[in-house]
Amino acid sequence: MRLRALLDTDALGLRLLGGEDELDRTVRGVMTTDLRDPSRYLSGGELVLTGLAWRRDAGDSEPFVRLLAQAGVAALAAGEAELGDVPEDLVVACARHRLPLFAVHESVAFATITEHVVRQVSGERAGDLAAVVDRHRRMMTAGPAGGGPDVVLDLLGSDLDLRAWVLSPTGRPIAGPKVGGPQLPPETRAKLAAEHLSATRTGRRGPHRLLLESTTYSLFPIRSSGGSPQGSRDVRETLLSDWLLAVEADAGDWPEERLDLLYGVTQLIAVERDRRDAARTVRRRLAQEVLELVQTGAAPAEIAARLRVAAPVLLPGLGAAPHWQVVVARVEWQDSTVNDGQAAQSLLEEILVDPLATGPEPSDRIAVAHTGDEAIALVPLPAVSAEHDGSEHGVLADTLLASIRDPLASGLDDDGRVTLGVSAAVHSAEGLRGALEEARHARRVAAARTGRVCAAGHQELASHVLLLPFVPDDVRRAFTARLLDPLRDYDRRHRAELTPTLEAFLDCDGSWTRCASRLHLHVNTLRYRVGRIEQLTGRDLSRLEDKLDFLLALRMS
Protein backbone atom coordinates (compact mmCIF):
# COMPACT_ATOMS: atom_id res chain seq x y z
CA MET A 1 0.00 0.00 0.00
CA ARG A 2 1.03 3.62 -0.50
CA LEU A 3 1.48 6.28 2.15
CA ARG A 4 -1.09 8.34 0.28
CA ALA A 5 -3.71 5.70 0.99
CA LEU A 6 -3.04 5.96 4.72
CA LEU A 7 -3.44 9.72 4.66
CA ASP A 8 -6.75 9.38 2.80
CA THR A 9 -8.17 7.05 5.50
CA ASP A 10 -9.95 9.40 7.90
CA ALA A 11 -10.39 6.75 10.60
CA LEU A 12 -6.61 6.61 11.14
CA GLY A 13 -6.42 10.24 12.24
CA LEU A 14 -3.17 10.98 10.38
CA ARG A 15 -2.08 14.54 9.61
CA LEU A 16 0.84 15.15 7.22
CA LEU A 17 3.61 17.36 8.69
CA GLY A 18 6.20 16.90 5.97
CA GLY A 19 7.22 14.80 2.98
CA GLU A 20 4.38 15.48 0.57
CA ASP A 21 6.62 14.56 -2.39
CA GLU A 22 7.28 11.09 -0.88
CA LEU A 23 3.68 9.91 -0.46
CA ASP A 24 4.00 7.31 -3.22
CA ARG A 25 6.35 5.27 -1.06
CA THR A 26 5.24 1.68 -0.45
CA VAL A 27 4.48 0.54 3.08
CA ARG A 28 5.58 -3.03 3.74
CA GLY A 29 4.78 -3.25 7.44
CA VAL A 30 4.38 -1.37 10.69
CA MET A 31 6.40 -1.13 13.91
CA THR A 32 5.68 0.60 17.21
CA THR A 33 8.73 1.74 19.16
CA ASP A 34 10.03 4.14 21.76
CA LEU A 35 13.60 2.88 21.59
CA ARG A 36 16.30 5.47 20.96
CA ASP A 37 17.81 3.10 18.38
CA PRO A 38 15.25 0.68 16.91
CA SER A 39 17.31 -0.04 13.79
CA ARG A 40 18.09 -3.65 14.67
CA TYR A 41 14.37 -4.43 14.52
CA LEU A 42 13.83 -2.75 11.13
CA SER A 43 14.15 -4.36 7.72
CA GLY A 44 12.95 -1.43 5.55
CA GLY A 45 9.60 -0.23 4.27
CA GLU A 46 7.94 0.09 7.69
CA LEU A 47 5.61 2.78 8.95
CA VAL A 48 7.18 3.52 12.36
CA LEU A 49 4.79 4.57 15.13
CA THR A 50 6.21 6.31 18.20
CA GLY A 51 4.91 8.00 21.33
CA LEU A 52 8.12 10.11 21.50
CA ALA A 53 9.16 8.73 24.90
CA TRP A 54 12.70 8.43 23.51
CA ARG A 55 12.96 12.23 23.12
CA ARG A 56 14.54 14.01 26.08
CA ASP A 57 15.48 17.22 24.33
CA ALA A 58 15.64 18.74 20.84
CA GLY A 59 19.02 17.17 20.12
CA ASP A 60 17.57 13.64 20.19
CA SER A 61 15.46 14.04 17.04
CA GLU A 62 18.30 14.19 14.48
CA PRO A 63 20.03 10.87 15.43
CA PHE A 64 16.69 9.09 15.77
CA VAL A 65 15.49 10.16 12.32
CA ARG A 66 18.89 9.46 10.77
CA LEU A 67 18.76 5.84 12.00
CA LEU A 68 15.26 5.41 10.56
CA ALA A 69 16.29 6.84 7.20
CA GLN A 70 19.36 4.59 7.05
CA ALA A 71 17.14 1.57 7.79
CA GLY A 72 14.94 2.50 4.81
CA VAL A 73 11.64 3.00 6.63
CA ALA A 74 8.73 4.39 4.64
CA ALA A 75 7.55 7.04 7.09
CA LEU A 76 7.35 8.11 10.74
CA ALA A 77 4.07 8.72 12.62
CA ALA A 78 4.29 10.50 15.99
CA GLY A 79 1.50 10.32 18.56
CA GLU A 80 0.11 13.49 20.14
CA ALA A 81 -1.34 11.75 23.22
CA GLU A 82 1.65 12.36 25.53
CA LEU A 83 3.38 15.57 24.41
CA GLY A 84 0.69 17.32 22.42
CA ASP A 85 1.92 18.86 19.17
CA VAL A 86 4.82 17.14 17.45
CA PRO A 87 8.07 19.05 18.27
CA GLU A 88 9.43 21.31 15.53
CA ASP A 89 12.91 19.75 15.82
CA LEU A 90 11.45 16.41 14.75
CA VAL A 91 9.73 18.05 11.77
CA VAL A 92 13.03 19.66 10.71
CA ALA A 93 14.99 16.41 11.10
CA CYS A 94 12.47 14.48 8.98
CA ALA A 95 12.59 17.16 6.27
CA ARG A 96 16.40 17.01 6.22
CA HIS A 97 16.36 13.23 5.68
CA ARG A 98 13.35 13.31 3.31
CA LEU A 99 11.38 11.10 5.69
CA PRO A 100 7.59 11.64 5.57
CA LEU A 101 6.20 12.60 8.97
CA PHE A 102 2.62 12.18 10.21
CA ALA A 103 0.96 13.30 13.43
CA VAL A 104 -1.42 10.79 15.03
CA HIS A 105 -4.42 12.33 16.76
CA GLU A 106 -4.62 11.52 20.48
CA SER A 107 -7.98 9.77 19.99
CA VAL A 108 -6.48 7.11 17.68
CA ALA A 109 -4.72 4.10 19.19
CA PHE A 110 -1.55 2.79 17.58
CA ALA A 111 -3.19 -0.65 17.57
CA THR A 112 -5.87 0.68 15.18
CA ILE A 113 -3.23 1.83 12.70
CA THR A 114 -1.28 -1.41 13.10
CA GLU A 115 -4.29 -3.59 12.33
CA HIS A 116 -5.21 -1.46 9.32
CA VAL A 117 -1.69 -1.60 7.84
CA VAL A 118 -1.30 -5.34 8.44
CA ARG A 119 -4.63 -6.02 6.81
CA GLN A 120 -4.05 -3.75 3.81
CA VAL A 121 -0.44 -4.77 3.13
CA SER A 122 -1.31 -8.44 3.25
CA GLY A 123 -4.27 -7.82 0.98
CA GLU A 124 -2.20 -6.13 -1.68
CA ARG A 125 0.51 -8.76 -1.66
CA ALA A 126 -1.55 -11.92 -1.53
CA GLY A 127 -5.33 -12.08 -1.35
CA ASP A 128 -5.45 -15.49 0.31
CA LEU A 129 -3.04 -14.45 3.05
CA ALA A 130 -5.02 -11.26 3.64
CA ALA A 131 -8.12 -13.32 4.19
CA VAL A 132 -6.33 -15.29 6.88
CA VAL A 133 -5.11 -12.13 8.62
CA ASP A 134 -8.59 -10.63 8.50
CA ARG A 135 -10.10 -13.76 10.00
CA HIS A 136 -7.43 -13.66 12.70
CA ARG A 137 -8.23 -10.07 13.47
CA ARG A 138 -11.94 -10.81 13.84
CA MET A 139 -11.25 -13.78 16.06
CA MET A 140 -8.99 -11.74 18.32
CA THR A 141 -11.57 -9.00 18.94
CA ALA A 142 -13.42 -8.91 22.22
CA GLY A 143 -16.94 -10.24 22.47
CA PRO A 144 -18.78 -13.50 21.79
CA ALA A 145 -17.03 -14.02 18.44
CA GLY A 146 -13.54 -13.77 19.93
CA GLY A 147 -11.49 -16.90 20.36
CA GLY A 148 -8.12 -15.75 21.63
CA PRO A 149 -4.72 -16.82 20.33
CA ASP A 150 -5.70 -20.50 20.12
CA VAL A 151 -8.08 -19.71 17.27
CA VAL A 152 -5.38 -17.73 15.47
CA LEU A 153 -3.05 -20.72 15.64
CA ASP A 154 -5.78 -23.08 14.46
CA LEU A 155 -6.27 -20.87 11.42
CA LEU A 156 -2.56 -20.94 10.70
CA GLY A 157 -2.78 -24.71 10.69
CA SER A 158 -5.91 -25.03 8.61
CA ASP A 159 -5.19 -22.25 6.08
CA LEU A 160 -1.41 -22.33 5.78
CA ASP A 161 -0.53 -25.80 7.08
CA LEU A 162 1.68 -24.30 9.80
CA ARG A 163 1.81 -25.68 13.32
CA ALA A 164 2.59 -22.94 15.81
CA TRP A 165 2.60 -22.30 19.55
CA VAL A 166 2.71 -19.24 21.78
CA LEU A 167 5.16 -19.72 24.65
CA SER A 168 6.13 -17.74 27.72
CA PRO A 169 9.78 -16.78 28.36
CA THR A 170 10.23 -20.02 30.32
CA GLY A 171 8.53 -22.21 27.72
CA ARG A 172 5.12 -22.48 29.39
CA PRO A 173 2.46 -22.99 26.68
CA ILE A 174 0.21 -19.94 26.38
CA ALA A 175 -1.64 -21.19 23.29
CA GLY A 176 -1.34 -23.93 20.70
CA PRO A 177 -3.25 -25.66 17.94
CA LYS A 178 -6.11 -27.82 19.11
CA VAL A 179 -5.88 -29.96 16.03
CA GLY A 180 -3.06 -31.44 14.00
CA GLY A 181 -1.09 -33.74 16.24
CA PRO A 182 0.68 -33.80 19.61
CA GLN A 183 1.74 -30.71 21.53
CA LEU A 184 5.34 -29.70 22.16
CA PRO A 185 7.06 -31.73 24.89
CA PRO A 186 8.36 -29.75 27.89
CA GLU A 187 12.04 -30.20 27.00
CA THR A 188 11.43 -28.85 23.49
CA ARG A 189 9.54 -25.83 24.83
CA ALA A 190 12.38 -25.08 27.25
CA LYS A 191 14.98 -25.22 24.46
CA LEU A 192 12.91 -22.98 22.19
CA ALA A 193 12.45 -20.43 24.97
CA ALA A 194 16.17 -20.54 25.77
CA GLU A 195 17.13 -19.92 22.14
CA HIS A 196 14.65 -17.06 21.83
CA LEU A 197 15.88 -15.37 25.01
CA SER A 198 19.52 -15.78 24.04
CA ALA A 199 18.94 -14.42 20.53
CA THR A 200 16.89 -11.47 21.76
CA ARG A 201 19.38 -10.71 24.52
CA THR A 202 22.27 -10.52 22.06
CA GLY A 203 20.34 -8.40 19.55
CA ARG A 204 20.04 -10.93 16.75
CA ARG A 205 17.29 -10.08 14.28
CA GLY A 206 14.39 -12.53 14.06
CA PRO A 207 12.99 -14.84 13.12
CA HIS A 208 15.41 -17.04 15.02
CA ARG A 209 15.75 -20.62 13.80
CA LEU A 210 16.59 -23.71 15.81
CA LEU A 211 17.03 -27.33 14.70
CA LEU A 212 15.86 -29.90 17.27
CA GLU A 213 15.93 -33.60 16.41
CA SER A 214 15.62 -33.05 12.64
CA THR A 215 12.80 -30.48 13.07
CA THR A 216 13.41 -26.79 12.41
CA TYR A 217 11.50 -24.19 14.40
CA SER A 218 11.28 -20.48 13.57
CA LEU A 219 10.83 -18.13 16.52
CA PHE A 220 9.06 -14.78 16.23
CA PRO A 221 8.99 -12.28 19.13
CA ILE A 222 5.60 -11.07 20.30
CA ARG A 223 5.88 -7.45 21.36
CA SER A 224 3.28 -5.14 22.80
CA SER A 225 1.04 -3.72 20.08
CA GLY A 226 0.80 -0.42 21.91
CA GLY A 227 4.51 0.12 22.38
CA SER A 228 6.30 0.55 25.69
CA PRO A 229 4.46 3.01 27.95
CA GLN A 230 7.62 3.55 29.95
CA GLY A 231 9.65 4.41 26.86
CA SER A 232 11.80 1.30 27.07
CA ARG A 233 15.35 1.82 25.86
CA ASP A 234 16.73 -1.54 26.91
CA VAL A 235 15.64 -4.98 25.71
CA ARG A 236 16.24 -6.29 29.23
CA GLU A 237 13.19 -4.44 30.53
CA THR A 238 10.80 -6.84 28.77
CA LEU A 239 13.09 -9.78 28.00
CA LEU A 240 11.76 -11.91 30.85
CA SER A 241 8.08 -11.22 30.22
CA ASP A 242 7.62 -11.20 26.42
CA TRP A 243 5.91 -14.12 24.69
CA LEU A 244 7.19 -15.78 21.54
CA LEU A 245 5.57 -17.50 18.56
CA ALA A 246 7.24 -20.83 17.69
CA VAL A 247 6.43 -22.13 14.20
CA GLU A 248 7.32 -25.65 13.10
CA ALA A 249 8.93 -24.58 9.82
CA ASP A 250 12.14 -23.12 8.45
CA ALA A 251 11.44 -19.46 7.72
CA GLY A 252 14.88 -18.95 6.18
CA ASP A 253 13.62 -19.34 2.62
CA TRP A 254 10.15 -17.87 3.05
CA PRO A 255 8.98 -15.12 0.69
CA GLU A 256 8.47 -11.69 2.21
CA GLU A 257 4.70 -12.05 1.97
CA ARG A 258 4.66 -15.01 4.34
CA LEU A 259 7.11 -13.41 6.75
CA ASP A 260 4.94 -10.29 6.79
CA LEU A 261 1.92 -12.43 7.58
CA LEU A 262 3.61 -14.09 10.55
CA TYR A 263 4.76 -10.77 11.93
CA GLY A 264 1.20 -9.56 11.49
CA VAL A 265 -0.03 -12.55 13.48
CA THR A 266 2.38 -11.71 16.31
CA GLN A 267 0.96 -8.19 16.41
CA LEU A 268 -2.55 -9.57 16.67
CA ILE A 269 -1.57 -11.98 19.45
CA ALA A 270 0.10 -9.04 21.20
CA VAL A 271 -3.40 -7.59 21.61
CA GLU A 272 -4.18 -10.55 23.88
CA ARG A 273 -1.05 -9.90 25.87
CA ASP A 274 -1.95 -6.23 26.27
CA ARG A 275 -5.43 -7.25 27.42
CA ARG A 276 -3.87 -9.57 30.00
CA ASP A 277 -1.53 -6.85 31.26
CA ALA A 278 -4.43 -4.42 31.63
CA ALA A 279 -6.40 -7.00 33.61
CA ARG A 280 -3.55 -7.32 36.08
CA THR A 281 -3.79 -3.69 37.15
CA VAL A 282 -6.33 -4.38 39.90
CA ARG A 283 -4.39 -7.36 41.26
CA ARG A 284 -1.16 -5.38 41.28
CA ARG A 285 -2.88 -2.58 43.20
CA LEU A 286 -4.24 -5.03 45.76
CA ALA A 287 -0.82 -6.60 46.24
CA GLN A 288 0.78 -3.15 46.62
CA GLU A 289 -1.76 -2.13 49.26
CA VAL A 290 -1.29 -5.32 51.27
CA LEU A 291 2.49 -5.02 51.02
CA GLU A 292 2.48 -1.42 52.24
CA LEU A 293 0.28 -2.37 55.20
CA VAL A 294 2.56 -5.26 56.13
CA GLN A 295 5.78 -3.27 55.81
CA THR A 296 4.48 -0.30 57.79
CA GLY A 297 3.40 -2.52 60.69
CA ALA A 298 -0.35 -2.04 60.28
CA ALA A 299 -2.68 -3.82 62.68
CA PRO A 300 -3.49 -7.43 61.70
CA ALA A 301 -7.18 -6.55 61.58
CA GLU A 302 -6.51 -3.90 58.92
CA ILE A 303 -4.41 -6.33 56.87
CA ALA A 304 -7.07 -9.03 57.25
CA ALA A 305 -9.72 -6.66 55.94
CA ARG A 306 -7.62 -5.96 52.86
CA LEU A 307 -7.05 -9.68 52.33
CA ARG A 308 -10.79 -10.28 52.43
CA VAL A 309 -11.12 -7.78 49.59
CA ALA A 310 -8.34 -9.48 47.64
CA ALA A 311 -9.56 -13.06 48.04
CA PRO A 312 -12.67 -12.82 45.81
CA VAL A 313 -10.65 -11.08 43.08
CA LEU A 314 -7.89 -13.69 43.09
CA LEU A 315 -9.98 -16.76 43.85
CA PRO A 316 -13.54 -16.08 42.70
CA GLY A 317 -16.08 -18.50 44.11
CA LEU A 318 -13.76 -19.83 46.80
CA GLY A 319 -16.21 -19.03 49.56
CA ALA A 320 -13.58 -18.93 52.32
CA ALA A 321 -10.45 -17.00 53.14
CA PRO A 322 -7.50 -18.82 51.55
CA HIS A 323 -4.05 -19.51 52.84
CA TRP A 324 -1.37 -17.21 51.51
CA GLN A 325 2.20 -17.69 50.41
CA VAL A 326 4.85 -15.05 49.64
CA VAL A 327 7.44 -15.31 46.86
CA VAL A 328 10.19 -12.71 46.54
CA ALA A 329 12.26 -12.29 43.36
CA ARG A 330 15.10 -10.08 42.26
CA VAL A 331 16.47 -9.59 38.74
CA GLU A 332 19.91 -8.05 38.61
CA TRP A 333 21.76 -6.77 35.54
CA GLN A 334 25.32 -5.51 35.51
CA ASP A 335 25.91 -1.95 34.31
CA SER A 336 22.24 -1.28 33.65
CA THR A 337 19.59 1.33 34.42
CA VAL A 338 16.79 -1.19 33.93
CA ASN A 339 14.00 -1.06 36.55
CA ASP A 340 14.90 -4.40 38.13
CA GLY A 341 11.84 -4.42 40.39
CA GLN A 342 9.49 -4.02 37.45
CA ALA A 343 11.33 -6.72 35.48
CA ALA A 344 11.08 -9.08 38.46
CA GLN A 345 7.37 -8.28 38.78
CA SER A 346 6.71 -9.25 35.17
CA LEU A 347 8.76 -12.40 35.57
CA LEU A 348 6.86 -13.56 38.67
CA GLU A 349 3.56 -12.96 36.92
CA GLU A 350 4.69 -15.31 34.16
CA ILE A 351 6.21 -18.12 36.22
CA LEU A 352 3.88 -18.41 39.23
CA VAL A 353 1.43 -20.53 37.32
CA ASP A 354 0.55 -24.21 37.62
CA PRO A 355 3.03 -25.92 35.25
CA LEU A 356 0.19 -28.05 33.87
CA ALA A 357 -1.99 -25.03 33.10
CA THR A 358 -2.12 -23.45 29.65
CA GLY A 359 -3.22 -20.04 28.47
CA PRO A 360 -2.98 -16.62 30.10
CA GLU A 361 -5.92 -17.01 32.48
CA PRO A 362 -4.26 -19.02 35.30
CA SER A 363 -1.82 -16.16 35.85
CA ASP A 364 -4.79 -14.03 36.87
CA ARG A 365 -4.69 -15.77 40.25
CA ILE A 366 -1.44 -14.09 41.22
CA ALA A 367 -0.98 -10.61 42.75
CA VAL A 368 2.52 -9.16 42.38
CA ALA A 369 3.86 -5.82 43.56
CA HIS A 370 7.34 -4.40 43.32
CA THR A 371 9.28 -2.17 45.67
CA GLY A 372 12.76 -0.94 44.89
CA ASP A 373 14.68 -3.68 43.10
CA GLU A 374 12.60 -6.65 44.22
CA ALA A 375 9.16 -8.06 43.37
CA ILE A 376 6.84 -9.62 45.92
CA ALA A 377 4.07 -12.03 44.98
CA LEU A 378 1.05 -12.73 47.14
CA VAL A 379 -0.04 -16.23 46.14
CA PRO A 380 -3.49 -17.37 47.31
CA LEU A 381 -3.88 -21.05 48.16
CA PRO A 382 -7.13 -22.87 48.89
CA ALA A 383 -7.32 -23.85 52.57
CA VAL A 384 -5.32 -27.03 53.21
CA SER A 385 -7.68 -29.99 53.36
CA ALA A 386 -7.52 -32.64 56.08
CA GLU A 387 -5.60 -35.10 53.95
CA HIS A 388 -2.75 -32.59 53.45
CA ASP A 389 -0.07 -32.09 56.08
CA GLY A 390 0.97 -28.85 54.40
CA SER A 391 4.47 -30.00 53.49
CA GLU A 392 3.74 -30.21 49.75
CA HIS A 393 1.11 -27.49 49.59
CA GLY A 394 1.56 -24.44 47.38
CA VAL A 395 4.67 -23.16 45.61
CA LEU A 396 7.83 -25.21 46.15
CA ALA A 397 11.21 -23.60 45.51
CA ASP A 398 12.73 -26.70 43.90
CA THR A 399 9.78 -27.16 41.53
CA LEU A 400 9.81 -23.48 40.61
CA LEU A 401 13.54 -23.53 39.97
CA ALA A 402 13.37 -26.66 37.81
CA SER A 403 10.74 -25.08 35.56
CA ILE A 404 12.68 -21.88 34.83
CA ARG A 405 16.40 -22.51 35.29
CA ASP A 406 17.50 -23.69 31.83
CA PRO A 407 15.68 -21.20 29.58
CA LEU A 408 16.27 -18.21 31.85
CA ALA A 409 19.97 -18.93 32.29
CA SER A 410 20.37 -18.58 28.51
CA GLY A 411 18.39 -15.38 28.39
CA LEU A 412 20.35 -13.78 31.22
CA ASP A 413 23.59 -14.34 29.30
CA ASP A 414 26.69 -13.24 31.22
CA ASP A 415 25.44 -10.17 33.03
CA GLY A 416 22.06 -11.08 34.50
CA ARG A 417 20.86 -13.03 37.52
CA VAL A 418 17.52 -14.13 39.00
CA THR A 419 17.12 -15.15 42.65
CA LEU A 420 13.91 -16.35 44.29
CA GLY A 421 12.78 -16.96 47.86
CA VAL A 422 9.61 -18.84 48.88
CA SER A 423 7.84 -18.69 52.24
CA ALA A 424 5.71 -21.27 53.95
CA ALA A 425 1.92 -20.96 53.69
CA VAL A 426 0.20 -18.84 56.32
CA HIS A 427 -3.50 -18.68 57.07
CA SER A 428 -3.88 -15.30 58.76
CA ALA A 429 -2.90 -11.67 58.53
CA GLU A 430 -0.75 -12.11 61.63
CA GLY A 431 1.48 -14.53 59.75
CA LEU A 432 1.92 -12.44 56.60
CA ARG A 433 4.70 -10.20 57.93
CA GLY A 434 6.68 -13.26 59.02
CA ALA A 435 6.08 -14.90 55.63
CA LEU A 436 7.45 -11.82 53.87
CA GLU A 437 10.60 -11.81 55.98
CA GLU A 438 10.94 -15.57 55.52
CA ALA A 439 10.73 -15.26 51.74
CA ARG A 440 13.23 -12.39 51.72
CA HIS A 441 15.67 -14.35 53.86
CA ALA A 442 15.29 -17.40 51.63
CA ARG A 443 16.06 -15.21 48.63
CA ARG A 444 19.25 -14.00 50.31
CA VAL A 445 20.24 -17.64 50.83
CA ALA A 446 19.63 -18.25 47.10
CA ALA A 447 21.66 -15.14 46.21
CA ALA A 448 24.67 -16.50 48.13
CA ARG A 449 24.80 -19.52 45.82
CA THR A 450 26.44 -19.77 42.43
CA GLY A 451 24.47 -19.82 39.21
CA ARG A 452 22.43 -17.47 37.04
CA VAL A 453 19.08 -18.68 38.40
CA CYS A 454 18.80 -19.73 42.07
CA ALA A 455 15.92 -20.34 44.47
CA ALA A 456 15.53 -21.29 48.12
CA GLY A 457 12.49 -22.27 50.16
CA HIS A 458 11.42 -21.93 53.75
CA GLN A 459 12.43 -25.54 54.48
CA GLU A 460 16.09 -24.57 54.15
CA LEU A 461 15.82 -21.93 56.87
CA ALA A 462 15.57 -24.65 59.52
CA SER A 463 18.74 -26.43 58.41
CA HIS A 464 22.49 -25.96 58.65
CA VAL A 465 22.26 -25.37 54.87
CA LEU A 466 21.14 -21.83 55.77
CA LEU A 467 24.52 -21.05 57.33
CA LEU A 468 26.81 -22.39 54.63
CA PRO A 469 26.43 -19.65 51.98
CA PHE A 470 27.40 -16.98 54.50
CA VAL A 471 30.73 -18.52 55.48
CA PRO A 472 33.55 -16.30 54.11
CA ASP A 473 35.43 -17.86 51.21
CA ASP A 474 38.80 -17.89 52.96
CA VAL A 475 37.32 -19.61 56.02
CA ARG A 476 35.50 -22.08 53.79
CA ARG A 477 38.69 -22.97 51.90
CA ALA A 478 40.79 -23.35 55.06
CA PHE A 479 38.20 -25.53 56.80
CA THR A 480 37.64 -27.89 53.89
CA ALA A 481 41.36 -28.09 53.12
CA ARG A 482 42.25 -29.23 56.64
CA LEU A 483 39.68 -32.03 56.60
CA LEU A 484 39.48 -33.15 52.98
CA ASP A 485 42.85 -32.43 51.35
CA PRO A 486 44.58 -35.39 53.09
CA LEU A 487 41.89 -37.72 51.73
CA ARG A 488 41.99 -36.28 48.23
CA ASP A 489 45.79 -36.49 48.11
CA TYR A 490 45.66 -40.11 49.24
CA ASP A 491 42.99 -40.93 46.64
CA ARG A 492 45.13 -39.42 43.87
CA ARG A 493 48.31 -41.24 44.90
CA HIS A 494 46.74 -44.64 45.55
CA ARG A 495 43.68 -44.52 43.30
CA ALA A 496 41.64 -45.11 46.40
CA GLU A 497 38.07 -43.97 47.11
CA LEU A 498 38.26 -42.58 50.62
CA THR A 499 36.32 -39.38 49.84
CA PRO A 500 33.34 -41.16 48.20
CA THR A 501 33.41 -43.66 51.07
CA LEU A 502 33.22 -40.84 53.61
CA GLU A 503 30.25 -39.28 51.77
CA ALA A 504 28.39 -42.60 51.65
CA PHE A 505 29.14 -43.35 55.32
CA LEU A 506 27.72 -40.02 56.47
CA ASP A 507 24.76 -40.32 54.10
CA CYS A 508 23.94 -43.69 55.71
CA ASP A 509 24.04 -42.07 59.18
CA GLY A 510 27.09 -44.10 60.14
CA SER A 511 25.44 -47.47 59.53
CA TRP A 512 28.12 -50.02 58.62
CA THR A 513 25.77 -52.51 56.98
CA ARG A 514 23.81 -49.98 54.91
CA CYS A 515 26.96 -48.22 53.75
CA ALA A 516 28.71 -51.48 52.85
CA SER A 517 25.64 -52.55 50.89
CA ARG A 518 25.45 -49.25 49.03
CA LEU A 519 29.15 -49.40 48.08
CA HIS A 520 29.04 -53.15 47.35
CA LEU A 521 31.83 -53.76 49.88
CA HIS A 522 32.43 -56.26 52.65
CA VAL A 523 31.96 -54.65 56.06
CA ASN A 524 35.60 -55.36 56.94
CA THR A 525 36.74 -53.48 53.82
CA LEU A 526 34.55 -50.55 54.83
CA ARG A 527 36.01 -50.61 58.36
CA TYR A 528 39.51 -50.52 56.88
CA ARG A 529 38.69 -47.47 54.74
CA VAL A 530 37.06 -45.59 57.64
CA GLY A 531 40.08 -46.40 59.78
CA ARG A 532 42.38 -44.97 57.11
CA ILE A 533 40.21 -41.79 56.97
CA GLU A 534 40.55 -41.39 60.74
CA GLN A 535 44.30 -42.01 60.60
CA LEU A 536 44.87 -39.40 57.86
CA THR A 537 42.70 -36.70 59.45
CA GLY A 538 43.15 -37.35 63.15
CA ARG A 539 39.36 -37.49 63.57
CA ASP A 540 37.07 -40.12 65.07
CA LEU A 541 33.99 -40.98 63.03
CA SER A 542 32.26 -42.47 66.05
CA ARG A 543 32.03 -38.96 67.56
CA LEU A 544 29.08 -36.75 66.57
CA GLU A 545 31.24 -33.59 66.47
CA ASP A 546 33.67 -35.10 63.98
CA LYS A 547 30.86 -36.46 61.81
CA LEU A 548 29.31 -32.99 61.70
CA ASP A 549 32.62 -31.36 60.75
CA PHE A 550 33.10 -33.79 57.87
CA LEU A 551 29.50 -33.24 56.71
CA LEU A 552 29.93 -29.45 56.66
CA ALA A 553 33.27 -29.72 54.87
CA LEU A 554 31.72 -31.85 52.14
CA ARG A 555 28.78 -29.49 51.77
CA MET A 556 31.06 -26.46 51.44
CA SER A 557 33.56 -28.05 49.07
Side-chain angles (χ1 to χ4, degrees), residues 52 68 188 253 264 279 357 385 397 451 457 523:
L52 300 177
L68 296 187
T188 298
D253 56 356
S385 56
V523 172

Side-chain angles (χ1 to χ4, degrees), residues 12-72:
L12 299 183
L14 296 177
R15 180 165 50 90
L16 184 64
L17 299 181
E20 185 174 1
D21 295 336
E22 306 292 334
L23 290 181
D24 286 328
R25 289 188 182 186
T26 300
V27 179
R28 296 178 56 253
V30 63
M31 177 189 177
T32 300
T33 186
D34 276 314
L35 295 171
R36 296 173 69 87
D37 179 9
S39 57
R40 60 181 174 181
Y41 302 114
L42 297 168
S43 57
E46 295 93 349
L47 170 66
V48 174
L49 307 174
T50 181
L52 300 177
W54 50 267
R55 182 183 178 277
R56 296 173 182 172
D57 54 47
D60 290 337
S61 292
E62 167 62 25
F64 180 78
V65 173
R66 182 174 65 252
L67 290 169
L68 296 187
Q70 290 173 349

Side-chain angles (χ1 to χ4, degrees), residues 353-486:
V353 181
D354 183 347
L356 299 179
T358 59
E361 295 305 318
S363 60
D364 292 349
R365 303 293 185 247
I366 309 298
V368 187
H370 72 87
T371 174
D373 56 2
E374 71 177 3
I376 301 167
L378 188 63
V379 183
L381 307 170
V384 182
S385 56
E387 61 268 21
H388 285 294
D389 62 5
S391 60
E392 298 296 322
H393 189 61
V395 179
L396 300 176
D398 289 345
T399 303
L400 192 61
L401 182 62
S403 68
I404 67 175
R405 179 169 44 208
D406 291 344
L408 288 190
S410 295
L412 294 168
D413 200 29
D414 292 330
D415 70 341
R417 196 158 190 253
V418 170
T419 51
L420 303 162
V422 182
S423 80
V426 296
H427 64 278
S428 66
E430 289 86 348
L432 204 55
R433 184 181 182 88
L436 175 58
E437 292 306 315
E438 188 174 59
R440 280 176 165 163
H441 200 64
R443 194 209 62 78
R444 288 193 289 270
V445 171
R449 295 171 176 165
T450 59
R452 289 290 167 194
V453 184
C454 299
H458 62 93
Q459 302 92 336
E460 299 180 52
L461 303 187
S463 166
H464 69 275
V465 175
L466 168 66
L467 304 175
L468 300 185
F470 302 100
V471 177
D473 288 342
D474 54 345
V475 175
R476 181 195 301 260
R477 286 191 293 268
F479 181 73
T480 57
R482 281 197 301 270
L483 283 175
L484 300 182
D485 279 2

